[in-house]
Amino acid sequence: MSTPPPPVGSVKTKDLLIGALLRVPAQAIQRRIITELNAAGFEELRVPHMAVLQFPGPDGVRPGLLAERAGMSKQAMNQLLRSLEGLGYLVRSDAPDEGRARVVRFTKRGRAAYAKVHDILRDIEREWSTVLGPKRFAELKELLLRVWESPLARGFASKTRE
């Protein structure tokens, strides 16, 4: 039988589990991206839209693969796609030579927002490098890349790289 987790305020760093250590910074990054996108004129974007805008982006991808990458149902992904389509960030069109298949394409506004996401991420990386020190930040990225490329992340990372 497993032991229940301790109350949040009593957790010591050594007791934090890997899920929280990865999730909390990832959520902070997503919130920062949305806050800065909103300030840059992309006011309609919200955190749930990050499921579509996350690396490697939706351009040229089928909605089903986007749903798989985001770990959500096709119906939920299509709801996000409808929202982004209505806001002018993307369009869905027929896939060439693939019957009824559809693919997602950025509009000009969508490409601009996606480029801004990359600018924000570069700023975040510079800040993290300053706080951690360039050597330790490079080590962090190297370790995360090793996890990404290993069987530890195979179920998700392989879908992201497709």
Side-chain angles (χ1 to χ4, degrees):
M1 185 143 94
S2 67
T3 309
V8 175
S10 67
V11 176
K12 293 177 176 59
T13 303
K14 68 178 182 69
D15 296 328
L16 286 171
L17 298 175
I18 193 71
L21 289 170
L22 293 172
R23 177 181 40 82
V24 171
Q27 288 174 336
I29 289 169
Q30 286 191 348
R31 286 190 304 272
R32 164 104 177 254
I33 289 169
I34 291 301
T35 298
E36 292 195 24
L37 282 170
N38 293 165
F42 304 103
E43 303 90 2
E44 316 87 358
L45 294 175
R46 300 290 177 260
V47 171
H49 293 131
M50 290 304 300
V52 177
L53 299 175
Q54 68 188 350
F55 179 81
D59 207 35
V61 178
R62 291 183 186 182
L65 181 55
L66 290 174
E68 196 173 334
R69 284 180 186 167
M72 61 185 1
S73 70
K74 290 179 185 180
Q75 293 84 353
M77 177 55 68
N78 277 312
Q79 185 175 355
L80 285 173
L81 293 173
R82 270 191 305 281
S83 169
L84 289 167
E85 199 168 23
L87 294 169
Y89 288 93
L90 55 84
V91 295
R92 289 178 281 182
S93 59
D94 294 333
D97 305 323
E98 295 192 42
R100 294 178 41 209
R102 308 275 283 163
V103 294
V104 175
R105 295 280 180 210
F106 275 129
T107 62
K108 184 177 177 183
R109 183 164 177 76
R111 273 190 295 286
Y114 195 68
K116 183 65 178 171
V117 168
H118 284 266
D119 292 343
I120 296 165
L121 287 169
R122 281 190 280 279
D123 289 344
I124 291 169
E125 286 201 1
R126 280 190 291 276
E127 291 167 16
W128 283 37
S129 181
T130 298
V131 170
L132 297 175
K135 182 179 180 205
R136 292 190 81 189
F137 182 68
E139 289 170 354
L140 173 63
K141 285 186 73 172
E142 169 141 354
L143 287 170
L144 290 171
L145 183 60
R146 285 180 65 190
V147 170
W148 173 299
E149 293 175 339
S150 78
L152 298 170
R154 189 75 64 226
F156 171 76
S158 64
K159 301 285 187 242
T160 304
R161 286 188 228 118
E162 290 177 1

